[in-house]
Amino acid sequence: MTTALPQVLVRRAALPLDGAVPFTVGEGDWPLRGVLVQRAGALQAYVNRCPHAGHRLDLPVGKFTTPDGLWLRCASHGALFRFSDGECVAGPCAGRALQSLPITVDADGNVLLLALAAE
Ligand code: FES
């Protein structure tokens, strides 16, 4: 995958205040699929791949949270993840974590992906 970085993902103003949205960077058969999370004013980005069995978290696409909005949830087997660090707190991958992606917000309010994998 050849992708110019940093990559604009979305304008921050377009994000839900407490929620998660999917994003895709790159093309072809294996783009990077991620999830951008905003909660209590903090932003995080994770690879949209569950550490249990490698499935994407959202089924249906774009549905990432529990009904009460307190946790990220993998639809396949119900693993629950903290918004703040992606750690699995319940389910078949408890103690493991989503892969974090480095992001920042520029002066124009764009959320930028800085690298394709966390360092
Ligand atoms: S693939 Fe996510 S809980 Fe099993």
Side-chain angles (χ1 to χ4, degrees):
M1 172 170 43
T2 57
T3 300
L5 295 169
Q7 175 87 33
V8 175
L9 298 177
V10 67
R11 290 192 56 77
R12 186 170 191 174
L15 292 173
L17 289 180
D18 284 307
V21 296
F23 68 85
T24 302
V25 172
E27 299 174 358
D29 292 337
W30 302 103
L32 171 66
R33 291 188 171 89
V35 53
L36 194 55
V37 176
Q38 181 165 238
R39 182 149 184 98
L43 279 177
Q44 308 290 337
Y46 301 108
V47 175
N48 186 2
R49 185 174 52 237
C50 181
H52 174 226
H55 300 177
R56 67 182 297 153
L57 302 173
D58 55 328
L59 289 174
V61 173
K63 176 69 175 152
F64 286 98
T65 60
T66 53
D68 60 11
L70 295 177
W71 307 99
L72 293 168
R73 183 179 65 93
C74 177
S76 291
H77 309 107
L80 301 179
F81 302 88
R82 277 196 301 250
F83 282 87
S84 60
D85 61 4
E87 182 168 330
C88 180
V89 297
C93 50
R96 297 171 67 190
L98 301 172
Q99 183 180 1
S100 181
L101 294 166
I103 56 171
T104 192
V105 180
D106 71 12
D108 295 325
N110 297 307
V111 181
L112 304 175
L113 178 67
L114 301 176
L116 297 177
E119 307 204 359

